[in-house]
Amino acid sequence: MTNTIVTTKLWTRSYIFMLLTNLFIYLAFYMLTPTLPAYAKATGGSNLEASLVVSTFSITSLLIRLFTGSIMDKIEIRPLLLVGAVILGASTLSYIWLPLDAIIVVRVVQGIGWGLASTGAAAIFSDIVPENKRGEGMGYYSLSMIISMALSPVVAIIIMNLYSFKYIALMSIVFVVIGCLCFTGVKIPKKNPITNKDAKKFSLKDSFEEKAALPSLLCFMLTVTLCGIMSYIMLYGKELKITNIWVYFVGYVAMILVTRPVIGKIFDKRGHSVIIIPGSISMIIGLIILSYVHSVPTLILSSLFYGLGYGAVQPSLQAWAVDRSPHNRKGAANGTFLSSMDLAYTVGSVLLSFVAQRSNYAFMYKFSASFLVLLLIVYSWNLIKSNSSVETILDQDEEVS
């Protein structure tokens, strides 16, 4: 169990350096997301091989999260994050000279590194963020993820068009090194020693935090829509003959930067319901507009609606997942939550690709909006059920008094 943090201050030295660590590690990874499949195709790979570059990684990343989430509640996190970063950087370096078949194998190993590094970072944030600042603190953590996810693909694609994949790999390694250097400025609360009474064999049940299940399920639905944007918006641009489709990410990030500081404070003061419902509706509007885009102005409008919603809902779901979990299960809660995102990428990339192949990318974005409608239905049902339970308890208390 982690020692309780007595300070209520959010912007500590450790928190700032941890934000920088997370930003650079995510930048390093997401530079590879849109470019490795393209590199696979450019080197003579088939469509199947190009898809394996993504799917093999997602599967191992998902599996490693299942194991590391609960383990991080019992042992020191720092070594696991550093080992994950080293695996991430070393595997990226090997891509410079390895043939495609070997790259697919190494991607399996890189999934292990990414699972360790990203789950470790989430667990550290849960430890160093004061409980009364949970929404705001986890919001800025999510912001560092979202910025890297939005900007690194644009930068990577431009570099690959001007130079080659080799330069993307080298820049990714540099970002990993910078992230590790920033990590030296982070102080992590020490774990209490595990006694023989507390120690027990690992079980798969330990890696899954039941209290985080609902937010993780909602995050799965949310991330399927993000997968459609991250994976296929460049191809959608070719379908529309819009060469500067990358401006979508600029509007997306701009809206998140403007709203993020406010959203975290609203979560801490008023809870998640005032954020998740309007945020999900905003994303639905953004996806519907995206499916009818024929010009840059409407493309930007779509990105503003989607960016507003995603920047509000995703960190709120993660903060909710952590808040409702026991204190000694925060690592498992983050592992469960992040695993839902890995699973969504694996399922979403295949499902949405099938939909686009049968129709077009415009219809695919309309279809992906149905996942947000389902999110609203599940979440609203849970709110109604929770409110009914509270009213029943209050009625029983009144009868007793």
Side-chain angles (χ1 to χ4, degrees):
M1 184 170 123
T2 307
N3 293 336
T4 303
I5 299 174
V6 295
T7 180
T8 58
K9 183 180 178 182
L10 175 62
W11 292 100
T12 60
R13 181 176 184 270
S14 292
Y15 182 72
I16 293 171
F17 273 103
M18 195 59 219
L19 283 176
L20 292 173
T21 300
N22 200 63
L23 175 67
F24 282 110
I25 288 179
Y26 269 79
L27 281 171
F29 169 69
Y30 279 105
M31 291 192 73
L32 305 175
T33 303
T35 52
L36 257 180
Y39 178 65
K41 291 283 290 181
T43 53
S46 64
N47 288 334
L48 175 61
E49 288 173 318
S51 65
L52 285 175
V53 169
V54 179
S55 59
T56 54
F57 168 86
S58 299
I59 293 170
T60 52
S61 178
L62 170 62
L63 291 176
I64 200 66
R65 289 194 203 278
L66 292 176
F67 288 95
T68 57
S70 61
I71 292 174
M72 287 180 181
D73 289 320
K74 300 179 177 65
I75 65 174
E76 294 296 328
I77 307 173
R78 183 182 294 273
L80 292 180
L81 189 149
L82 289 174
V83 168
V86 170
I87 294 174
L88 181 62
S91 55
T92 301
L93 179 63
S94 70
Y95 296 157
I96 296 175
W97 64 79
L98 286 179
L100 179 57
D101 291 344
I103 287 177
I104 293 173
V105 175
V106 174
R107 276 292 270 181
V108 176
V109 179
Q110 192 172 51
I112 297 173
W114 177 242
L116 288 171
S118 56
T119 308
I124 291 171
F125 275 108
S126 296
D127 281 348
I128 65 177
V129 171
E131 291 188 8
N132 66 319
K133 300 282 187 179
R134 184 78 68 190
E136 185 179 1
M138 297 303 287
Y140 284 113
Y141 151 66
S142 297
L143 179 61
S144 67
M145 295 166 51
I146 293 168
I147 290 175
S148 61
M149 290 169 64
L151 293 184
S152 54
V154 177
V155 175
I157 291 169
I158 292 174
I159 291 175
M160 191 165 180
N161 289 337
L162 293 176
Y163 303 102
S164 67
F165 178 76
K166 174 182 177 180
Y167 291 92
I168 295 171
L170 291 174
M171 183 173 288
S172 175
I173 296 166
V174 170
F175 283 152
V176 170
V177 172
I178 295 174
C180 290
L181 291 175
C182 292
F183 191 51
T184 60
V186 179
K187 290 184 179 181
I188 307 171
K190 292 183 179 180
K191 305 283 186 182
N192 290 330
I194 299 176
T195 64
N196 292 331
K197 180 181 178 180
D198 296 328
K200 62 178 181 178
K201 292 182 179 180
F202 171 81
S203 68
L204 189 60
K205 184 178 179 180
D206 291 334
S207 65
F208 177 78
E209 175 48 50
E210 184 179 355
K211 294 291 185 178
L214 177 60
S216 299
L217 174 62
L218 299 177
C219 183
F220 170 85
M221 301 171 190
L222 171 70
T223 308
V224 168
T225 68
L226 180 66
C227 175
I229 291 173
M230 295 292 292
S231 302
Y232 302 119
I233 194 146
M234 297 299 174
L235 295 174
Y236 186 40
K238 291 182 179 180
E239 183 177 276
L240 297 175
K241 295 181 172 56
I242 298 178
T243 55
N244 52 346
I245 195 77
W246 53 267
V247 299
Y248 181 92
F249 294 103
V250 177
Y252 169 72
V253 171
M255 182 56 68
I256 293 173
L257 288 173
V258 170
T259 59
R260 185 58 254 162
V262 179
I263 294 298
K265 293 178 181 178
I266 293 175
F267 179 94
D268 290 326
K269 292 181 179 179
R270 302 187 59 186
H272 47 79
S273 61
V274 297
I275 298 174
I276 293 175
I277 293 176
S280 299
I281 294 173
S282 180
M283 281 187 288
I284 292 173
I285 294 172
L287 288 173
I288 297 301
I289 295 175
L290 183 60
S291 69
Y292 288 102
V293 160
H294 290 290
S295 64
V296 171
T298 51
L299 180 69
I300 294 175
L301 181 63
S302 166
S303 71
L304 295 178
F305 273 103
Y306 189 86
L308 171 63
Y310 186 85
V313 176
Q314 193 275 342
S316 297
L317 287 175
Q318 186 164 11
W320 184 29
V322 172
D323 267 354
R324 73 201 311 252
S325 301
H327 186 76
N328 64 332
R329 296 281 294 165
K330 302 301 185 187
N334 276 309
T336 302
F337 187 86
L338 295 174
S339 294
S340 73
M341 298 183 72
D342 286 332
L343 183 61
Y345 263 95
T346 304
V347 174
S349 60
V350 176
L351 176 62
L352 296 182
S353 176
F354 175 79
V355 172
Q357 185 177 355
R358 288 298 184 95
S359 52
N360 53 43
Y361 289 105
F363 179 79
M364 182 200 73
Y365 287 117
K366 291 189 184 77
F367 174 80
S368 68
S370 64
F371 282 87
L372 293 173
V373 174
L374 183 60
L375 183 157
L376 283 172
I377 293 172
V378 173
Y379 180 71
S380 299
W381 175 81
N382 177 74
L383 278 183
I384 294 171
K385 182 180 177 182
S386 299
N387 290 336
S388 298
S389 299
V390 171
E391 289 176 1
T392 300
I393 293 173
L394 291 176
D395 290 341
Q396 290 174 349
D397 289 342
E398 288 178 1
E399 290 176 3
V400 172
S401 60

